[in-house]
Amino acid sequence: MTFNGSWKVEQSENFANFLEQMGINVVKRKLAEHDNMKLIIEQTGDNFHIKESSTFRKKDFNFTLGVPFEHELADGTVIEGTWVLEGNTLKGNFTRKDNGKTLLTNREVTGNELVQTYSYDGVTAKRIFKKV
Ligand SMILES: CCCCCCCCCCCCCC(=O)O
């Protein structure tokens, strides 16, 4: 499956501004810019198992395409929403539980890169992960 593998963040674009829009304080924003985020993705059919590790935390979670789930972000913000696959792009549509605002995120694999884009309240960002 396309997304399967270990992915390590190499580059971020506008991520600090996105986090600021998310309301994340300056200390956590600075840490997040160098969080050494690593994702291990295991897809079996419509089911995904993700092992996330960063300087903030280690977290394992599962989701199924098209099935809403609740997820806690590294800063404690809780979101609820769904991942769907459109063509080769994973599209995530989430709602923050605390303020009802929408967080959109996409994941796409091109060669040995996984590109994740984020959009929240008018601010977009991108993180590029390399396969390790
Ligand atoms: C320090 C807080 C960072 C928050 C930004 C992360 C945004 C995550 C987007 C939604 C992720 C859904 C779960 C997942 O598949 O990884």
Side-chain angles (χ1 to χ4, degrees):
M1 299 267 174
T2 319
F3 294 93
N4 283 353
S6 299
W7 305 94
K8 188 176 177 308
V9 72
E10 286 274 323
Q11 194 186 326
S12 300
E13 294 172 17
N14 210 38
F15 194 56
N17 288 333
F18 164 76
L19 294 176
E20 183 172 13
Q21 193 71 0
M22 288 278 289
I24 292 166
N25 71 46
V26 65
V27 175
K28 284 186 180 161
R29 289 206 301 273
K30 291 284 169 208
L31 291 171
E33 282 183 276
H34 307 281
D35 64 357
N36 292 318
M37 174 70 84
K38 191 172 166 191
L39 299 171
I40 299 175
I41 303 179
E42 297 163 3
Q43 180 186 4
T44 310
D46 284 354
N47 299 313
F48 283 73
H49 177 63
I50 299 200
K51 293 178 192 164
E52 174 193 308
S53 69
S54 71
T55 51
F56 286 111
R57 66 175 181 177
K58 285 191 195 310
K59 187 176 173 74
D60 272 41
F61 57 96
N62 299 296
F63 62 82
T64 300
L65 293 176
V67 178
F69 68 106
E70 200 171 277
H71 181 75
E72 187 175 326
L73 302 178
D75 70 321
T77 301
V78 179
I79 57 176
E80 187 176 359
T82 310
W83 283 108
V84 296
L85 196 55
E86 283 184 23
N88 294 324
T89 305
L90 267 178
K91 297 196 169 194
N93 188 328
F94 295 90
T95 301
R96 282 177 66 143
K97 300 277 270 190
D98 59 347
N99 65 9
K101 289 190 177 180
T102 299
L103 167 60
L104 299 174
T105 179
N106 287 354
R107 287 187 175 123
E108 193 166 7
V109 171
T110 313
N112 70 340
E113 279 186 0
L114 182 151
V115 178
Q116 183 159 7
T117 58
Y118 309 84
S119 173
Y120 176 75
D121 211 14
V123 179
T124 60
K126 184 191 276 193
R127 300 196 101 183
I128 298 170
F129 296 76
K130 287 268 165 49
K131 202 161 203 174
V132 289

